């Protein structure tokens, strides 16, 4: 898990806690929307990491290994 994903999940948990503590419906709804957005961002990061790992594995299998620390295009 990346630090970005950790950050997004922490913000989602914070928004969830805020929603649970909210007494006004509109505030609770806003917090729940915020939680959903943070969770979606964390999911995107995870999906991107899996895609990158898959791409690197495919390139390595094809003999096109990319040295660590360089970006693939």
């Amino acid at each position: 898990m990346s630090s970005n994903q950790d950050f997004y999940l922490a913000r989602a948990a914070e928004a969830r806690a805020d929603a649970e503590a909210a007494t006004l419906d509109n505030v609770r709804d806003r917090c729940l929307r915020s939680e959903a957005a943070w969770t979606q961002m964390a999911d995107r990061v995870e999906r991107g990491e899996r895609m990158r790992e898959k791409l690197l594995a495919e390139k390595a299998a094809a003999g096109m290994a990319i040295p660590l620390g360089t970006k693939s295009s």
Side-chain angles (χ1 to χ4, degrees):
M1 190 177 301
S2 74
S3 61
N4 282 341
Q5 188 177 20
D6 290 339
F7 174 79
Y8 296 151
L9 291 173
R11 297 293 73 77
E14 185 179 304
R16 186 178 327 107
D18 290 346
E20 291 171 359
T23 56
L24 298 174
D25 289 341
N26 62 328
V27 174
R28 184 175 19 267
D29 292 344
R30 183 192 70 212
C31 292
L32 291 173
R33 284 192 309 271
S34 178
E35 176 193 9
W38 286 115
T39 302
Q40 185 178 37
M41 286 185 269
D43 291 345
R44 263 188 258 152
V45 168
E46 182 181 2
R47 188 173 60 243
E49 288 173 352
R50 280 189 313 226
M51 290 173 60
R52 185 178 192 295
E53 289 171 4
K54 180 182 174 189
L55 177 64
L56 290 174
E58 289 171 355
K59 286 185 176 186
M64 302 181 334
I66 299 171
L68 291 177
T70 60
K71 292 184 179 180
S72 62
S73 54

Short mmCIF file of all heavy atoms in Angstrom, two decimals:
data_model
loop_
_atom_site.label_atom_id
_atom_site.label_comp_id
_atom_site.label_asym_id
_atom_site.label_seq_id
_atom_site.Cartn_x
_atom_site.Cartn_y
_atom_site.Cartn_z
N MET A 1 0.85 -1.17 0.00
CA MET A 1 0.00 0.00 0.00
C MET A 1 0.90 1.24 0.00
O MET A 1 1.83 1.33 0.76
CB MET A 1 -0.90 -0.05 1.23
CG MET A 1 -1.98 0.98 1.21
SD MET A 1 -3.13 0.91 2.61
CE MET A 1 -3.80 -0.72 2.49
N SER A 2 0.59 2.17 -0.86
CA SER A 2 1.40 3.38 -0.98
C SER A 2 1.01 4.41 0.08
O SER A 2 -0.04 4.33 0.70
CB SER A 2 1.22 3.98 -2.37
OG SER A 2 -0.05 4.60 -2.47
N SER A 3 1.89 5.37 0.24
CA SER A 3 1.60 6.42 1.23
C SER A 3 0.40 7.26 0.78
O SER A 3 -0.37 7.73 1.63
CB SER A 3 2.83 7.30 1.44
OG SER A 3 3.21 7.93 0.25
N ASN A 4 0.23 7.45 -0.54
CA ASN A 4 -0.95 8.17 -1.02
C ASN A 4 -2.22 7.43 -0.65
O ASN A 4 -3.19 8.03 -0.18
CB ASN A 4 -0.90 8.36 -2.54
CG ASN A 4 0.03 9.47 -2.95
OD1 ASN A 4 0.39 10.33 -2.16
ND2 ASN A 4 0.43 9.44 -4.21
N GLN A 5 -2.20 6.12 -0.85
CA GLN A 5 -3.38 5.34 -0.54
C GLN A 5 -3.65 5.38 0.96
O GLN A 5 -4.81 5.50 1.38
CB GLN A 5 -3.21 3.90 -1.02
CG GLN A 5 -4.48 3.09 -0.90
CD GLN A 5 -4.32 1.69 -1.43
OE1 GLN A 5 -3.22 1.18 -1.57
NE2 GLN A 5 -5.42 1.04 -1.71
N ASP A 6 -2.62 5.29 1.76
CA ASP A 6 -2.78 5.40 3.22
C ASP A 6 -3.42 6.74 3.59
O ASP A 6 -4.32 6.80 4.44
CB ASP A 6 -1.44 5.26 3.93
CG ASP A 6 -0.88 3.86 3.87
OD1 ASP A 6 -1.64 2.90 3.64
OD2 ASP A 6 0.35 3.73 4.02
N PHE A 7 -2.95 7.80 2.96
CA PHE A 7 -3.48 9.14 3.23
C PHE A 7 -4.96 9.20 2.88
O PHE A 7 -5.79 9.69 3.66
CB PHE A 7 -2.70 10.19 2.43
CG PHE A 7 -3.26 11.57 2.54
CD1 PHE A 7 -3.02 12.35 3.66
CD2 PHE A 7 -4.05 12.09 1.52
CE1 PHE A 7 -3.55 13.63 3.77
CE2 PHE A 7 -4.58 13.36 1.62
CZ PHE A 7 -4.33 14.14 2.74
N TYR A 8 -5.32 8.69 1.69
CA TYR A 8 -6.71 8.73 1.24
C TYR A 8 -7.61 7.92 2.18
O TYR A 8 -8.72 8.35 2.51
CB TYR A 8 -6.84 8.20 -0.19
CG TYR A 8 -6.13 9.02 -1.23
CD1 TYR A 8 -5.64 8.44 -2.39
CD2 TYR A 8 -5.92 10.39 -1.07
CE1 TYR A 8 -4.99 9.18 -3.36
CE2 TYR A 8 -5.27 11.15 -2.03
CZ TYR A 8 -4.81 10.53 -3.17
OH TYR A 8 -4.17 11.27 -4.13
N LEU A 9 -7.13 6.75 2.59
CA LEU A 9 -7.94 5.92 3.49
C LEU A 9 -8.09 6.56 4.87
O LEU A 9 -9.15 6.46 5.50
CB LEU A 9 -7.32 4.52 3.60
CG LEU A 9 -7.41 3.67 2.33
CD1 LEU A 9 -6.63 2.38 2.51
CD2 LEU A 9 -8.86 3.40 1.95
N ALA A 10 -7.05 7.26 5.32
CA ALA A 10 -7.14 7.96 6.60
C ALA A 10 -8.16 9.10 6.52
O ALA A 10 -8.95 9.31 7.45
CB ALA A 10 -5.77 8.51 7.01
N ARG A 11 -8.17 9.82 5.41
CA ARG A 11 -9.15 10.90 5.24
C ARG A 11 -10.56 10.32 5.16
O ARG A 11 -11.52 10.91 5.66
CB ARG A 11 -8.86 11.72 3.98
CG ARG A 11 -7.54 12.47 3.97
CD ARG A 11 -7.40 13.60 4.97
NE ARG A 11 -7.23 13.22 6.34
CZ ARG A 11 -6.08 12.76 6.91
NH1 ARG A 11 -5.01 12.59 6.20
NH2 ARG A 11 -6.03 12.45 8.19
N ALA A 12 -10.72 9.16 4.50
CA ALA A 12 -12.04 8.52 4.42
C ALA A 12 -12.52 8.14 5.81
O ALA A 12 -13.69 8.35 6.15
CB ALA A 12 -11.98 7.30 3.51
N ALA A 13 -11.63 7.58 6.62
CA ALA A 13 -12.01 7.20 7.99
C ALA A 13 -12.38 8.43 8.81
O ALA A 13 -13.33 8.40 9.60
CB ALA A 13 -10.86 6.44 8.65
N GLU A 14 -11.64 9.50 8.61
CA GLU A 14 -11.95 10.76 9.32
C GLU A 14 -13.32 11.29 8.91
O GLU A 14 -14.11 11.72 9.76
CB GLU A 14 -10.86 11.79 8.98
CG GLU A 14 -10.97 13.08 9.71
CD GLU A 14 -9.83 14.02 9.33
OE1 GLU A 14 -8.66 13.64 9.48
OE2 GLU A 14 -10.13 15.14 8.87
N ALA A 15 -13.61 11.24 7.62
CA ALA A 15 -14.91 11.71 7.14
C ALA A 15 -16.04 10.82 7.67
O ALA A 15 -17.11 11.32 8.04
CB ALA A 15 -14.94 11.73 5.61
N ARG A 16 -15.80 9.52 7.75
CA ARG A 16 -16.80 8.59 8.30
C ARG A 16 -17.07 8.92 9.77
O ARG A 16 -18.23 8.95 10.21
CB ARG A 16 -16.32 7.15 8.15
CG ARG A 16 -17.34 6.11 8.55
CD ARG A 16 -16.87 4.67 8.35
NE ARG A 16 -15.99 4.49 7.21
CZ ARG A 16 -14.66 4.26 7.31
NH1 ARG A 16 -14.07 4.19 8.48
NH2 ARG A 16 -13.93 4.11 6.22
N ALA A 17 -16.01 9.17 10.52
CA ALA A 17 -16.17 9.51 11.94
C ALA A 17 -16.93 10.83 12.09
O ALA A 17 -17.80 10.96 12.96
CB ALA A 17 -14.81 9.61 12.62
N ASP A 18 -16.62 11.79 11.23
CA ASP A 18 -17.34 13.07 11.26
C ASP A 18 -18.82 12.86 10.96
O ASP A 18 -19.69 13.49 11.56
CB ASP A 18 -16.74 14.06 10.26
CG ASP A 18 -15.36 14.56 10.68
OD1 ASP A 18 -14.98 14.37 11.86
OD2 ASP A 18 -14.67 15.15 9.82
N ALA A 19 -19.11 11.96 10.00
CA ALA A 19 -20.51 11.69 9.65
C ALA A 19 -21.25 11.06 10.82
O ALA A 19 -22.40 11.42 11.10
CB ALA A 19 -20.58 10.78 8.43
N GLU A 20 -20.57 10.15 11.51
CA GLU A 20 -21.21 9.50 12.65
C GLU A 20 -21.47 10.48 13.79
O GLU A 20 -22.43 10.32 14.55
CB GLU A 20 -20.35 8.33 13.12
CG GLU A 20 -20.32 7.17 12.13
CD GLU A 20 -19.31 6.11 12.48
OE1 GLU A 20 -18.59 6.25 13.50
OE2 GLU A 20 -19.22 5.12 11.72
N ALA A 21 -20.63 11.49 13.90
CA ALA A 21 -20.77 12.47 14.98
C ALA A 21 -21.71 13.63 14.61
O ALA A 21 -22.13 14.38 15.49
CB ALA A 21 -19.40 13.03 15.34
N ALA A 22 -22.04 13.74 13.35
CA ALA A 22 -22.86 14.88 12.89
C ALA A 22 -24.29 14.75 13.40
O ALA A 22 -24.86 13.67 13.45
CB ALA A 22 -22.85 14.95 11.37
N THR A 23 -24.83 15.90 13.78
CA THR A 23 -26.23 15.92 14.23
C THR A 23 -27.16 16.45 13.15
O THR A 23 -28.36 16.16 13.18
CB THR A 23 -26.37 16.79 15.50
OG1 THR A 23 -25.88 18.09 15.21
CG2 THR A 23 -25.60 16.18 16.65
N LEU A 24 -26.61 17.18 12.21
CA LEU A 24 -27.42 17.73 11.12
C LEU A 24 -27.35 16.80 9.91
O LEU A 24 -26.27 16.31 9.55
CB LEU A 24 -26.92 19.11 10.72
CG LEU A 24 -26.98 20.18 11.82
CD1 LEU A 24 -26.31 21.46 11.33
CD2 LEU A 24 -28.42 20.45 12.22
N ASP A 25 -28.48 16.58 9.27
CA ASP A 25 -28.54 15.68 8.11
C ASP A 25 -27.64 16.14 6.98
O ASP A 25 -26.95 15.33 6.36
CB ASP A 25 -29.97 15.55 7.60
CG ASP A 25 -30.86 14.76 8.54
OD1 ASP A 25 -30.32 14.01 9.39
OD2 ASP A 25 -32.09 14.88 8.42
N ASN A 26 -27.64 17.44 6.68
CA ASN A 26 -26.84 17.94 5.57
C ASN A 26 -25.34 17.79 5.84
O ASN A 26 -24.56 17.50 4.94
CB ASN A 26 -27.19 19.38 5.20
CG ASN A 26 -26.92 20.35 6.33
OD1 ASN A 26 -27.05 20.00 7.50
ND2 ASN A 26 -26.59 21.59 5.99
N VAL A 27 -24.93 17.94 7.08
CA VAL A 27 -23.52 17.77 7.44
C VAL A 27 -23.15 16.29 7.32
O VAL A 27 -22.10 15.94 6.78
CB VAL A 27 -23.24 18.30 8.86
CG1 VAL A 27 -21.82 17.97 9.29
CG2 VAL A 27 -23.50 19.79 8.92
N ARG A 28 -24.02 15.42 7.80
CA ARG A 28 -23.78 13.98 7.71
C ARG A 28 -23.67 13.56 6.24
O ARG A 28 -22.76 12.82 5.86
CB ARG A 28 -24.90 13.20 8.40
CG ARG A 28 -24.67 11.71 8.43
CD ARG A 28 -25.72 10.91 9.21
NE ARG A 28 -27.00 11.56 9.48
CZ ARG A 28 -27.29 12.26 10.58
NH1 ARG A 28 -26.41 12.41 11.54
NH2 ARG A 28 -28.50 12.78 10.74
N ASP A 29 -24.58 14.06 5.40
CA ASP A 29 -24.54 13.73 3.97
C ASP A 29 -23.25 14.22 3.32
O ASP A 29 -22.64 13.51 2.51
CB ASP A 29 -25.74 14.34 3.24
CG ASP A 29 -27.06 13.68 3.64
OD1 ASP A 29 -27.02 12.57 4.23
OD2 ASP A 29 -28.12 14.28 3.37
N ARG A 30 -22.83 15.43 3.69
CA ARG A 30 -21.59 15.98 3.13
C ARG A 30 -20.40 15.11 3.53
O ARG A 30 -19.53 14.80 2.72
CB ARG A 30 -21.37 17.41 3.62
CG ARG A 30 -20.12 18.05 3.01
CD ARG A 30 -19.76 19.34 3.70
NE ARG A 30 -19.28 19.03 5.04
CZ ARG A 30 -19.45 19.80 6.10
NH1 ARG A 30 -20.08 20.95 6.00
NH2 ARG A 30 -18.98 19.45 7.28
N CYS A 31 -20.36 14.69 4.78
CA CYS A 31 -19.26 13.85 5.26
C CYS A 31 -19.26 12.49 4.57
O CYS A 31 -18.20 11.95 4.23
CB CYS A 31 -19.34 13.68 6.77
SG CYS A 31 -19.02 15.20 7.69
N LEU A 32 -20.44 11.93 4.34
CA LEU A 32 -20.53 10.64 3.65
C LEU A 32 -20.10 10.77 2.19
O LEU A 32 -19.45 9.86 1.65
CB LEU A 32 -21.95 10.08 3.76
CG LEU A 32 -22.36 9.64 5.17
CD1 LEU A 32 -23.84 9.25 5.20
CD2 LEU A 32 -21.48 8.52 5.69
N ARG A 33 -20.42 11.89 1.56
CA ARG A 33 -19.95 12.11 0.18
C ARG A 33 -18.43 12.25 0.16
O ARG A 33 -17.76 11.73 -0.74
CB ARG A 33 -20.60 13.36 -0.41
CG ARG A 33 -22.04 13.16 -0.83
CD ARG A 33 -22.56 14.33 -1.67
NE ARG A 33 -22.33 15.64 -1.07
CZ ARG A 33 -23.16 16.25 -0.24
NH1 ARG A 33 -24.29 15.68 0.11
NH2 ARG A 33 -22.87 17.45 0.24
N SER A 34 -17.90 12.92 1.16
CA SER A 34 -16.46 13.08 1.27
C SER A 34 -15.79 11.72 1.47
O SER A 34 -14.78 11.41 0.83
CB SER A 34 -16.13 14.01 2.44
OG SER A 34 -14.74 14.14 2.60
N GLU A 35 -16.36 10.90 2.33
CA GLU A 35 -15.82 9.55 2.55
C GLU A 35 -15.80 8.77 1.24
O GLU A 35 -14.81 8.11 0.91
CB GLU A 35 -16.66 8.79 3.58
CG GLU A 35 -16.19 7.36 3.77
CD GLU A 35 -17.16 6.50 4.53
OE1 GLU A 35 -18.30 6.93 4.80
OE2 GLU A 35 -16.76 5.37 4.87
N ALA A 36 -16.88 8.84 0.49
CA ALA A 36 -16.96 8.11 -0.78
C ALA A 36 -15.89 8.60 -1.76
O ALA A 36 -15.26 7.79 -2.45
CB ALA A 36 -18.35 8.26 -1.39
N ALA A 37 -15.68 9.90 -1.81
CA ALA A 37 -14.67 10.45 -2.72
C ALA A 37 -13.26 10.01 -2.32
O ALA A 37 -12.46 9.61 -3.18
CB ALA A 37 -14.76 11.98 -2.73
N TRP A 38 -12.94 10.08 -1.03
CA TRP A 38 -11.61 9.64 -0.57
C TRP A 38 -11.40 8.15 -0.83
O TRP A 38 -10.32 7.73 -1.25
CB TRP A 38 -11.42 9.95 0.91
CG TRP A 38 -11.19 11.39 1.24
CD1 TRP A 38 -12.01 12.20 1.97
CD2 TRP A 38 -10.08 12.20 0.86
NE1 TRP A 38 -11.46 13.46 2.05
CE2 TRP A 38 -10.27 13.48 1.38
CE3 TRP A 38 -8.92 11.95 0.12
CZ2 TRP A 38 -9.37 14.52 1.20
CZ3 TRP A 38 -8.01 12.99 -0.07
CH2 TRP A 38 -8.24 14.25 0.46
N THR A 39 -12.44 7.37 -0.60
CA THR A 39 -12.34 5.93 -0.84
C THR A 39 -12.12 5.64 -2.33
O THR A 39 -11.32 4.78 -2.70
CB THR A 39 -13.61 5.21 -0.33
OG1 THR A 39 -13.76 5.49 1.06
CG2 THR A 39 -13.53 3.71 -0.55
N GLN A 40 -12.81 6.38 -3.16
CA GLN A 40 -12.65 6.21 -4.61
C GLN A 40 -11.22 6.55 -5.04
O GLN A 40 -10.63 5.86 -5.87
CB GLN A 40 -13.66 7.07 -5.36
CG GLN A 40 -13.66 6.86 -6.85
CD GLN A 40 -14.71 7.72 -7.54
OE1 GLN A 40 -14.95 8.86 -7.13
NE2 GLN A 40 -15.32 7.17 -8.58
N MET A 41 -10.66 7.60 -4.48
CA MET A 41 -9.28 7.96 -4.81
C MET A 41 -8.31 6.87 -4.37
O MET A 41 -7.37 6.52 -5.10
CB MET A 41 -8.91 9.30 -4.17
CG MET A 41 -9.54 10.48 -4.86
SD MET A 41 -8.97 12.06 -4.19
CE MET A 41 -10.19 12.34 -2.92
N ALA A 42 -8.53 6.29 -3.19
CA ALA A 42 -7.68 5.19 -2.71
C ALA A 42 -7.80 3.99 -3.64
O ALA A 42 -6.80 3.33 -3.96
CB ALA A 42 -8.06 4.82 -1.29
N ASP A 43 -9.01 3.70 -4.09
CA ASP A 43 -9.22 2.58 -5.01
C ASP A 43 -8.50 2.81 -6.32
O ASP A 43 -7.92 1.89 -6.90
CB ASP A 43 -10.71 2.38 -5.27
CG ASP A 43 -11.47 1.86 -4.06
OD1 ASP A 43 -10.82 1.40 -3.09
OD2 ASP A 43 -12.72 1.94 -4.07
N ARG A 44 -8.51 4.06 -6.81
CA ARG A 44 -7.81 4.38 -8.06
C ARG A 44 -6.31 4.16 -7.93
O ARG A 44 -5.66 3.66 -8.84
CB ARG A 44 -8.09 5.82 -8.48
CG ARG A 44 -9.20 5.91 -9.49
CD ARG A 44 -9.31 7.32 -10.01
NE ARG A 44 -10.45 7.90 -9.30
CZ ARG A 44 -10.61 9.16 -9.02
NH1 ARG A 44 -9.72 10.04 -9.37
NH2 ARG A 44 -11.67 9.59 -8.38
N VAL A 45 -5.76 4.57 -6.79
CA VAL A 45 -4.32 4.38 -6.56
C VAL A 45 -4.00 2.89 -6.56
O VAL A 45 -3.04 2.46 -7.20
CB VAL A 45 -3.88 5.03 -5.22
CG1 VAL A 45 -2.49 4.59 -4.84
CG2 VAL A 45 -3.94 6.54 -5.33
N GLU A 46 -4.81 2.10 -5.87
CA GLU A 46 -4.58 0.66 -5.82
C GLU A 46 -4.67 0.03 -7.21
O GLU A 46 -3.83 -0.78 -7.59
CB GLU A 46 -5.59 0.00 -4.88
CG GLU A 46 -5.38 -1.50 -4.75
CD GLU A 46 -6.41 -2.14 -3.84
OE1 GLU A 46 -7.31 -1.45 -3.33
OE2 GLU A 46 -6.30 -3.36 -3.65
N ARG A 47 -5.67 0.43 -7.97
CA ARG A 47 -5.83 -0.10 -9.33
C ARG A 47 -4.63 0.28 -10.20
O ARG A 47 -4.11 -0.54 -10.95
CB ARG A 47 -7.14 0.42 -9.95
CG ARG A 47 -7.48 -0.22 -11.27
CD ARG A 47 -8.86 0.18 -11.78
NE ARG A 47 -8.96 1.62 -11.99
CZ ARG A 47 -9.79 2.43 -11.35
NH1 ARG A 47 -10.60 1.96 -10.43
NH2 ARG A 47 -9.83 3.71 -11.62
N GLY A 48 -4.16 1.50 -10.07
CA GLY A 48 -3.00 1.95 -10.84
C GLY A 48 -1.75 1.17 -10.48
O GLY A 48 -0.95 0.82 -11.36
N GLU A 49 -1.57 0.88 -9.19
CA GLU A 49 -0.40 0.10 -8.77
C GLU A 49 -0.46 -1.31 -9.32
O GLU A 49 0.55 -1.85 -9.77
CB GLU A 49 -0.31 0.07 -7.24
CG GLU A 49 0.11 1.40 -6.65
CD GLU A 49 0.05 1.42 -5.13
OE1 GLU A 49 -0.45 0.45 -4.52
OE2 GLU A 49 0.50 2.42 -4.56
N ARG A 50 -1.66 -1.92 -9.29
CA ARG A 50 -1.80 -3.27 -9.85
C ARG A 50 -1.52 -3.27 -11.34
O ARG A 50 -0.85 -4.18 -11.86
CB ARG A 50 -3.21 -3.81 -9.59
CG ARG A 50 -3.41 -4.35 -8.19
CD ARG A 50 -4.73 -5.04 -8.12
NE ARG A 50 -5.74 -4.17 -8.74
CZ ARG A 50 -6.93 -3.91 -8.24
NH1 ARG A 50 -7.31 -4.47 -7.14
NH2 ARG A 50 -7.75 -3.10 -8.84
N MET A 51 -2.02 -2.27 -12.06
CA MET A 51 -1.79 -2.19 -13.50
C MET A 51 -0.31 -2.02 -13.80
O MET A 51 0.23 -2.63 -14.73
CB MET A 51 -2.61 -1.04 -14.11
CG MET A 51 -4.09 -1.31 -14.12
SD MET A 51 -5.08 0.11 -14.65
CE MET A 51 -4.45 0.39 -16.29
N ARG A 52 0.37 -1.19 -13.01
CA ARG A 52 1.80 -0.97 -13.21
C ARG A 52 2.59 -2.25 -12.96
O ARG A 52 3.48 -2.61 -13.73
CB ARG A 52 2.31 0.14 -12.28
CG ARG A 52 3.76 0.51 -12.51
CD ARG A 52 4.18 1.65 -11.58
NE ARG A 52 5.43 2.24 -11.90
CZ ARG A 52 6.61 1.66 -11.83
NH1 ARG A 52 6.70 0.40 -11.49
NH2 ARG A 52 7.72 2.31 -12.13
N GLU A 53 2.24 -2.97 -11.87
CA GLU A 53 2.91 -4.24 -11.58
C GLU A 53 2.70 -5.25 -12.70
O GLU A 53 3.62 -5.95 -13.10
CB GLU A 53 2.41 -4.82 -10.26
CG GLU A 53 2.88 -4.04 -9.05
CD GLU A 53 2.20 -4.48 -7.77
OE1 GLU A 53 1.41 -5.45 -7.80
OE2 GLU A 53 2.45 -3.84 -6.73
N LYS A 54 1.48 -5.30 -13.23
CA LYS A 54 1.17 -6.22 -14.33
C LYS A 54 1.97 -5.85 -15.57
O LYS A 54 2.55 -6.72 -16.23
CB LYS A 54 -0.33 -6.17 -14.64
CG LYS A 54 -0.75 -7.09 -15.76
CD LYS A 54 -2.23 -6.96 -16.04
CE LYS A 54 -2.59 -7.78 -17.27
NZ LYS A 54 -3.96 -7.53 -17.70
N LEU A 55 2.04 -4.57 -15.88
CA LEU A 55 2.79 -4.12 -17.05
C LEU A 55 4.27 -4.45 -16.91
O LEU A 55 4.90 -4.94 -17.85
CB LEU A 55 2.61 -2.61 -17.25
CG LEU A 55 3.39 -1.98 -18.40
CD1 LEU A 55 2.92 -2.53 -19.74
CD2 LEU A 55 3.24 -0.47 -18.37
N LEU A 56 4.83 -4.20 -15.72
CA LEU A 56 6.24 -4.52 -15.50
C LEU A 56 6.49 -6.01 -15.62
O LEU A 56 7.51 -6.44 -16.19
CB LEU A 56 6.69 -4.00 -14.14
CG LEU A 56 6.81 -2.49 -14.00
CD1 LEU A 56 7.12 -2.11 -12.56
CD2 LEU A 56 7.85 -1.94 -14.94
N ALA A 57 5.58 -6.83 -15.11
CA ALA A 57 5.72 -8.28 -15.21
C ALA A 57 5.66 -8.74 -16.66
O ALA A 57 6.45 -9.59 -17.09
CB ALA A 57 4.64 -8.98 -14.39
N GLU A 58 4.76 -8.15 -17.43
CA GLU A 58 4.65 -8.50 -18.85
C GLU A 58 5.91 -8.10 -19.61
O GLU A 58 6.39 -8.85 -20.46
CB GLU A 58 3.42 -7.83 -19.47
CG GLU A 58 2.11 -8.43 -19.00
CD GLU A 58 0.91 -7.63 -19.46
OE1 GLU A 58 1.07 -6.54 -20.06
OE2 GLU A 58 -0.23 -8.08 -19.19
N LYS A 59 6.43 -6.92 -19.32
CA LYS A 59 7.65 -6.47 -19.99
C LYS A 59 8.84 -7.33 -19.59
O LYS A 59 9.68 -7.65 -20.43
CB LYS A 59 7.93 -5.00 -19.68
CG LYS A 59 7.00 -4.06 -20.41
CD LYS A 59 7.37 -2.62 -20.18
CE LYS A 59 6.48 -1.71 -21.00
NZ LYS A 59 6.89 -0.31 -20.90
N ALA A 60 8.90 -7.73 -18.32
CA ALA A 60 10.00 -8.59 -17.87
C ALA A 60 9.91 -9.95 -18.55
O ALA A 60 10.93 -10.51 -18.95
CB ALA A 60 9.95 -8.74 -16.35
N ALA A 61 8.71 -10.47 -18.69
CA ALA A 61 8.52 -11.76 -19.35
C ALA A 61 8.90 -11.69 -20.83
O ALA A 61 9.36 -12.67 -21.40
CB ALA A 61 7.08 -12.22 -19.20
N ALA A 62 8.74 -10.52 -21.42
CA ALA A 62 9.08 -10.34 -22.83
C ALA A 62 10.55 -9.95 -23.01
O ALA A 62 10.98 -9.67 -24.11
CB ALA A 62 8.18 -9.28 -23.45
N GLY A 63 11.29 -9.90 -21.91
CA GLY A 63 12.70 -9.55 -22.01
C GLY A 63 12.96 -8.06 -22.10
O GLY A 63 14.03 -7.64 -22.51
N MET A 64 12.00 -7.27 -21.70
CA MET A 64 12.14 -5.82 -21.78
C MET A 64 12.14 -5.25 -20.37
O MET A 64 11.42 -4.32 -20.05
CB MET A 64 11.02 -5.20 -22.58
CG MET A 64 10.92 -5.72 -23.98
SD MET A 64 9.61 -5.00 -25.03
CE MET A 64 8.38 -4.44 -23.92
N ALA A 65 12.94 -5.82 -19.49
CA ALA A 65 12.95 -5.40 -18.09
C ALA A 65 13.33 -3.93 -17.97
O ALA A 65 14.19 -3.43 -18.69
CB ALA A 65 13.92 -6.25 -17.28
N ILE A 66 12.66 -3.25 -17.07
CA ILE A 66 12.91 -1.85 -16.82
C ILE A 66 13.66 -1.74 -15.50
O ILE A 66 13.23 -2.28 -14.49
CB ILE A 66 11.59 -1.06 -16.71
CG1 ILE A 66 10.83 -1.18 -18.04
CG2 ILE A 66 11.84 0.39 -16.36
CD1 ILE A 66 9.44 -0.61 -17.97
N PRO A 67 14.81 -1.06 -15.49
CA PRO A 67 15.55 -0.91 -14.22
C PRO A 67 14.70 -0.20 -13.18
O PRO A 67 13.87 0.65 -13.52
CB PRO A 67 16.76 -0.05 -14.60
CG PRO A 67 16.83 -0.09 -16.09
CD PRO A 67 15.47 -0.41 -16.60
N LEU A 68 14.87 -0.58 -11.92
CA LEU A 68 14.13 0.06 -10.85
C LEU A 68 14.44 1.55 -10.80
O LEU A 68 15.56 1.97 -11.08
CB LEU A 68 14.49 -0.56 -9.50
CG LEU A 68 14.01 -1.99 -9.31
CD1 LEU A 68 14.50 -2.53 -7.97
CD2 LEU A 68 12.50 -2.08 -9.38
N GLY A 69 13.45 2.32 -10.45
CA GLY A 69 13.65 3.76 -10.31
C GLY A 69 13.41 4.54 -11.60
O GLY A 69 13.55 5.75 -11.62
N THR A 70 13.06 3.85 -12.67
CA THR A 70 12.75 4.55 -13.90
C THR A 70 11.28 4.38 -14.21
O THR A 70 10.66 3.41 -13.80
CB THR A 70 13.57 4.02 -15.10
OG1 THR A 70 13.27 2.64 -15.28
CG2 THR A 70 15.06 4.20 -14.86
N LYS A 71 10.74 5.32 -14.91
CA LYS A 71 9.32 5.27 -15.24
C LYS A 71 9.16 4.57 -16.59
O LYS A 71 9.95 4.73 -17.50
CB LYS A 71 8.74 6.68 -15.35
CG LYS A 71 8.69 7.37 -14.01
CD LYS A 71 8.02 8.72 -14.16
CE LYS A 71 7.95 9.40 -12.81
NZ LYS A 71 7.32 10.69 -12.90
N SER A 72 8.09 3.80 -16.66
CA SER A 72 7.77 3.17 -17.94
C SER A 72 6.85 4.11 -18.70
O SER A 72 6.14 4.92 -18.14
CB SER A 72 7.09 1.82 -17.72
OG SER A 72 5.89 2.00 -17.02
N SER A 73 6.84 4.00 -20.00
CA SER A 73 5.96 4.85 -20.79
C SER A 73 4.90 4.05 -21.48
O SER A 73 4.85 2.88 -21.49
CB SER A 73 6.76 5.62 -21.82
OG SER A 73 7.53 4.74 -22.60
#
